[in-house]
Amino acid sequence: MKALFLTGVLLIGAGIVALVYQGFSYTKKERVLDLGPIHADANRSHYVWIPPLAGAVAVVAGVACVVVGNRRTI
């Protein structure tokens, strides 16, 4: 019962964060030139988009988990 309630709260939090930020970016070092002892690296920035629907589904699932978790305690 507590685990389901806690899972619901975490899902609600993650869904709200996903709705607010709608993605995140990260930097990856890639080798662009490799000629024997000569190496050249470049930092490439990548963006991961999180669809708003995924955030909304997480919030709804979290609310459902919280409701079911509270019903079991009563």
Side-chain angles (χ1 to χ4, degrees):
M1 68 184 161
K2 283 250 187 203
L4 191 60
F5 181 79
L6 182 61
T7 302
V9 170
L10 291 175
L11 277 172
I12 291 171
I16 290 172
V17 168
L19 286 171
V20 170
Y21 288 109
Q22 295 185 359
F24 60 93
S25 64
Y26 65 95
T27 303
K28 183 177 178 183
K29 184 180 276 192
E30 295 179 358
R31 177 132 319 159
V32 293
L33 180 65
D34 190 8
L35 293 172
I38 301 172
H39 303 288
D41 294 332
N43 290 329
R44 304 278 171 115
S45 181
H46 299 280
Y47 186 77
V48 178
W49 180 69
I50 300 173
L53 182 61
V57 167
V59 170
V60 170
V63 169
C65 286
V66 167
V67 168
V68 171
N70 277 341
R71 284 188 182 176
R72 288 187 178 181
T73 60
I74 296 175

